[in-house]
Amino acid sequence: MPDPDPAMLQDKRDTSVPLTRSSSSGISLNPSLRWLGLGLLPLAFFLADKKTSSQSSLDNYILCTENSVGIYTVDNLNTRTQCILVDGAYIRGSGTLGNLSSQGLASGREVRYLEPGVIVIPGISDSHGHILEYGGTQQLLLQGAKTIQDAVTLVREFILANPDIRDDPSKPVTGGGWDHTIWPGGIWPTAADLEADEIVRGRHVVLQSKDCHALWVSGKALEMSMPFPEEVDGGIIARNSAGQPTGTLLDNAQELLKQPELTESDLMRRFKVAVRDAHRFGLTSIHDAGLNPISLAFFKRQAKLGPLPIRIYGMSFFDETEPYWGNTSRPTVDIEYGRLSSRSVKIFADGALRTGGAALHAPYHDKPSTSGFMRIDPAVLTDFIPKFLRDGWQVNVHAIGDKANKIVIDAFEMSLKGANVTALRPRLEHAQMMTQEDMTRLGRLGVIASIQPAHAISDMWYAETRLGPERIKELYAFRSIIDSGAKIAMGSDFPVEDMNPLAGFYAAITRKSPSGESPHGSAGWFPEQRLTREEALRGISSFISVVHRLRSLQGMTIDPAFASFTENNLGSLEVGKRADFTILSQDIMEVPAEDILKTTVLATIIDGKPVYGKI
């Protein structure tokens, strides 16, 4: 990144408005600094054009809110200010318009104003999503299906609505989002359910579950993948009483399914759908959590053709059957226009709670015959994690159940002895269920907990049935994790949950459904585990620690930046950083919690230019 022009830098003590905490839960200005207003402005201010010109001309401008504190910078002081000066792809100044003008920084620059009530926050980052998988599920969404028959009907309607598929039975049908936990009896779907419909019958159908840990497939898809082994390490092939596969494959068993290879046009179609929605939801950066190695390879090909339309922090998929590659491949950082980095490896430790694959210390409350399972031998973790860390790779491990989390933390503890954890920044992806002892170890080790608050309000309706009244207290215990000194970064795990980061923000601070309900009433599900709005905002823009517990917007801004080694360039609106920001229709830090989901994204800005909306 080029060094900022020294003339563009200003003393932030003179151009920004620190906050003090009032006796209420709101934010108040430091009384000694209330005089910082427009003041007596030079002629350049009055000549500034308030009208919006072509968005393509946005190379050098000042963006201001109507009030003096409408821009949340999310710096170390959680400063709020009135204006930011954008020069090309970078922020070169901030403060009141009066101060910028008095320093000669407004002269010759267009000043753009936002409507009253609108706020600006650092570009939102999703710390855990699946870009191409999201694009693949959007063509046939099954999330609204309340029964197996509802889901089959949606598949039927999709086929009939697409003539190219309707008229060619050999074309595969793919979709996703089904959730057996909301179906009567919680029964698993079968290939026979698909074959019962005359339109669907005989077609190659592959449907991903909501949590991406199970596949529901047709008889044709099963037939093409025969024969199946009797058992699968770290996975389950659902079978009938005769021992024949019924059409549901869990976790590692999903890899046994032979599917038509996706073409470049297939991948591009999925990519465009995901990026379109990401921009619409205010996302400027996504950590792609390595479900399939084809994703990162595709991103690298696209990056060589020109700037990616969104920043991607890619995780390399770990295949334990392959030789170790950490010493032969090199991590890449900010390659191809600064839009793509690949310096981490993604390892799966266990399955998911929803599908019964999360590895638990004790049997499931509703199914005492099983405690879930590990998808990987613990010995592999203790062998490979130190190697990857030694060779400069960030190690990110998926762990859901309390047993899986303990095993992974054990491996991290062994691997990090004598290491500089700040330089390595290992991550526990999901960190859903942990004992208090393991939460404390997580904090002591400095391992980042990459959490998805929307999972909590999705799972709260069935989780106690699965875990019982005591163990449920260890699930999604976000406040306990932070109070143990651990660091967090927030994401959605889309397409498992809604891509909208404000849905996760809302879930983190309320622990209630969008309609305001929870198993524990209007106060929320285990309300003592809620995050503050300040923590949640930082969690979707960069990175949070116990030190920053009372600071703003970290969970979705500065915390993800730290978790992806980009805190020097992204995650806050500070001089010298990239001009990535999101413009929201209302102040999510102050409106009633029930109104947060009414907020709309007015514009998404990457490198100073709108990729969605306009300014």
Side-chain angles (χ1 to χ4, degrees), residues 17 75 140 178 252 339 415 426 434 446 462 511 540-541:
V17 187
D75 62 6
L140 174 52
W178 58 270
N252 287 354
R339 300 283 179 94
S415 304
M434 276 182 282
Y462 74 85
R511 295 180 71 96
I540 61 174
S541 61

Side-chain angles (χ1 to χ4, degrees), residues 208-496:
Q208 185 79 62
S209 65
K210 173 180 169 64
D211 61 10
C212 294
H213 283 264
L215 291 175
W216 172 19
V217 303
S218 65
K220 184 73 171 178
L222 283 175
E223 179 185 327
M224 290 179 61
S225 301
M226 293 290 191
F228 287 101
E230 287 299 314
E231 294 183 353
V232 182
D233 288 339
I236 293 175
I237 303 169
R239 300 178 185 273
N240 60 21
S241 57
Q244 297 300 311
T246 61
T248 307
L249 307 172
L250 274 63
D251 288 301
N252 287 354
Q254 297 176 100
E255 300 169 14
L256 301 174
L257 192 73
K258 297 175 183 177
Q259 301 188 57
E261 188 171 335
L262 293 171
T263 66
E264 197 73 1
S265 61
D266 291 331
L267 297 174
M268 178 57 73
R269 182 172 60 252
R270 294 182 175 196
F271 186 52
K272 286 181 176 179
V273 168
V275 170
R276 176 201 67 198
D277 288 355
H279 287 165
R280 179 166 60 90
F281 288 131
L283 292 173
T284 59
S285 175
I286 297 172
H287 301 187
D288 189 77
L291 271 182
N292 193 317
I294 66 173
S295 294
L296 187 54
F298 171 80
F299 301 147
K300 289 180 177 179
R301 291 194 300 273
Q302 291 304 307
K304 291 185 181 300
L305 300 177
L308 291 173
I310 195 165
R311 299 192 197 282
I312 297 176
Y313 184 71
M315 305 180 197
S316 298
F317 177 82
F318 173 72
D319 184 347
E320 64 179 300
T321 66
E322 297 291 327
Y324 176 69
W325 48 263
N327 57 349
T328 57
S329 298
R330 302 192 61 163
T332 54
V333 181
D334 286 343
I335 62 171
E336 312 299 345
Y337 308 93
R339 300 283 179 94
L340 178 65
S341 290
S342 173
R343 61 179 300 169
S344 62
V345 58
K346 169 71 177 298
I347 302 174
F348 285 88
D350 65 345
L353 186 68
R354 186 179 300 271
T355 47
L360 306 180
H361 285 304
Y364 279 83
H365 187 72
D366 60 345
K367 195 175 181 181
S369 62
T370 180
S371 300
F373 49 82
M374 293 291 291
R375 291 180 61 174
I376 194 169
D377 190 318
V380 175
L381 295 175
T382 55
D383 180 20
F384 282 88
I385 288 179
K387 291 178 180 177
F388 278 115
L389 293 174
R390 177 200 64 201
D391 291 324
W393 293 87
Q394 181 189 47
V395 179
N396 306 337
V397 186
H398 162 116
I400 303 290
D402 54 0
K403 178 180 179 179
N405 276 288
K406 181 185 185 305
I407 289 172
V408 174
I409 294 172
D410 286 346
F412 277 138
E413 188 168 40
M414 182 271 292
S415 304
L416 291 170
K417 287 180 179 177
N420 180 354
V421 69
T422 303
L424 299 172
R425 304 184 192 183
R427 293 168 49 163
L428 198 58
E429 300 298 319
H430 306 303
Q432 284 186 9
M433 183 180 177
M434 276 182 282
T435 64
Q436 183 58 56
E437 178 186 357
D438 286 335
M439 292 180 198
T440 301
R441 285 202 297 157
L442 194 72
R444 186 176 71 247
L445 292 172
V447 175
I448 298 166
S450 175
I451 63 172
Q452 300 77 42
H455 283 329
I457 63 172
S458 286
D459 294 357
M460 64 183 177
W461 302 107
Y462 74 85
E464 186 165 342
T465 299
R466 191 139 296 174
L467 296 173
E470 288 305 314
R471 281 187 299 177
I472 191 68
K473 298 173 185 177
E474 299 176 349
L475 186 69
Y476 300 119
F478 303 142
R479 167 59 51 210
S480 296
I481 290 175
I482 293 175
D483 288 349
S484 296
K487 305 169 177 66
I488 70 166
M490 281 168 49
S492 67
D493 201 12
F494 66 78
V496 179

Side-chain angles (χ1 to χ4, degrees), residues 555-577:
M556 59 183 185
T557 51
I558 195 66
D559 294 352
F562 182 90
S564 58
F565 299 87
T566 55
E567 75 276 12
N568 291 329
N569 295 322
L570 304 172
S572 61
L573 300 178
E574 298 180 81
V575 171
K577 288 194 174 185

